[in-house]
Amino acid sequence: MGEGCRTRYPIVLVHGLLGFVRLPGHSYWNGIDVALRRRGVAVYPVRLSGVHDNEALGAQLLERIAAIRDASGAPRVNLLGHSQGGLSACYAAARRPDWVASVTTVATPNHGSEVADRLRGRRERLLARGIEGLARLMERLECAEPGLCLPLDGPASLLALTSAGMAAFNARYPQGLPGSWGGEGTGEVDGVRYYSWSGILPARDDAAVGFDPGHALCRQLARCFVREAGQNDGLVGRFSSHLGKVIRSDYPFDHLDVINRCGGRREGAADPLGVYLEHLARLAEAGL
């Protein structure tokens, strides 16, 4: 891939729940940002609150986009969000479509997560506050913009990711949503292109998985699924992730593999990094 893969507009990478840009010895995007830059593309991983509701995160993202537009001179950006980061991107695009060329959601619970549904209950507030405390700890370890403290709201974050929370969000921001369960949505709304992709847990005998604590956690959380049992990545259901033009929703990736956490242990069609590079070429071909 060379000049033909350079996008017209910068790529903005938006992390998900409990996300960050860079901790000591570890990057959230696991080399994805580096690989995209090697193709000559301007890439901006942004930092938002580790836990909050979709609209609060989206408002923070709009502030980041404004700064990127000023710094780069680009009138628009391509938003690529992992998990809840995709919802932040959808909000930003709905509010300022003139600033956004495309939205790509990656393993995003566009119709809610059955895991979030299951976690609601008598210990919900305790769990939410625990997640909030973890987010604050990670914030203190953040190497990008050290010392920056952002507002956190664990209970609001958990509610926002439930099926009910997403139904309310989607009623306000329906851009790109499928008209029927498991279908595709409109690929372009208000001049913004919408794409999505996601994965499902690979077979247990997949030798490329090996022992991975993150993968083991995804398998445990997959037990929460009923509607999409066997069709989820451990945190997000395959069909719940559909938005706009669906690139593919059954890649053999768990929820962390999809941001290249498997670190090159996969090859060919099952290589997460390759999926991002293919999408880079797709955006470039579309003139974005």
Side-chain angles (χ1 to χ4, degrees):
M1 296 185 183
E3 293 290 332
C5 292
R6 290 189 180 182
T7 56
R8 179 180 179 185
Y9 304 111
I11 303 286
V12 177
L13 300 177
V14 191
H15 65 69
L17 179 73
L18 289 175
F20 51 90
V21 174
R22 190 174 68 259
L23 300 182
H26 183 63
S27 164
Y28 185 89
W29 293 97
N30 295 294
I32 292 168
D33 50 341
V34 175
L36 296 180
R37 286 194 186 104
R38 286 175 178 166
R39 270 63 181 182
V41 179
V43 181
Y44 297 87
V46 295
R47 180 180 160 206
L48 309 178
S49 294
V51 288
H52 219 305
D53 65 67
N54 303 323
E55 292 173 324
L57 294 171
Q60 291 178 22
L61 178 57
L62 282 174
E63 294 178 0
R64 295 293 182 164
I65 294 171
I68 290 168
R69 292 175 74 246
D70 288 342
S72 67
R76 308 177 80 189
V77 297
N78 293 299
L79 299 176
L80 197 155
H82 171 237
S83 196
Q84 192 180 16
L87 305 175
S88 308
C90 288
Y91 174 91
R95 288 294 190 181
R96 292 304 305 257
D98 54 321
W99 286 5
V100 180
S102 72
V103 169
T104 303
T105 64
V106 178
T108 292
N110 290 305
H111 299 272
S113 169
E114 291 186 60
V115 175
D117 291 342
R118 188 74 174 271
L119 292 177
R120 296 204 68 196
R122 59 183 180 181
R123 297 187 179 180
E124 172 188 345
R125 185 159 294 274
L126 179 62
L127 173 64
R129 292 305 180 192
I131 293 174
E132 190 175 303
L134 179 58
R136 186 63 74 191
L137 174 61
M138 295 172 69
E139 184 176 72
R140 292 173 181 171
L141 296 174
E142 176 67 69
C143 299
E145 300 178 283
L148 174 64
C149 292
L150 296 169
L152 302 176
D153 193 330
S157 179
L158 181 59
L159 175 61
L161 297 173
T162 63
S163 299
M166 280 308 304
F169 180 82
N170 289 338
R172 295 188 293 272
Y173 312 106
Q175 292 83 355
L177 290 171
S180 60
W181 180 255
E184 287 192 327
T186 303
E188 183 173 344
V189 182
D190 294 333
V192 180
R193 300 281 186 94
Y194 287 85
Y195 304 90
S196 63
W197 78 73
S198 59
I200 58 176
L201 288 169
R204 286 185 177 275
D205 59 357
D206 187 340
V209 172
F211 176 73
D212 181 339
H215 180 74
L217 176 61
C218 286
R219 285 209 174 274
Q220 289 296 316
L221 292 174
R223 297 179 179 181
C224 295
F225 286 82
V226 175
R227 186 178 192 182
E228 295 203 71
Q231 295 289 313
N232 63 81
D233 65 6
L235 280 168
V236 175
R238 171 184 180 181
F239 298 117
S240 179
S241 75
H242 284 199
L243 184 81
K245 171 63 179 176
V246 179
I247 306 306
R248 182 177 169 184
S249 58
D250 64 344
Y251 285 109
F253 306 150
D254 67 34
H255 196 70
L256 300 177
D257 283 342
V258 80
I259 49 171
N260 204 37
R261 193 177 183 279
C262 52
R265 296 196 305 272
R266 302 184 185 280
E267 298 177 354
D271 168 27
L273 184 55
V275 176
Y276 285 87
L277 296 179
E278 287 175 4
H279 192 54
L280 181 66
R282 184 178 295 112
L283 293 176
E285 185 177 358
L288 304 175

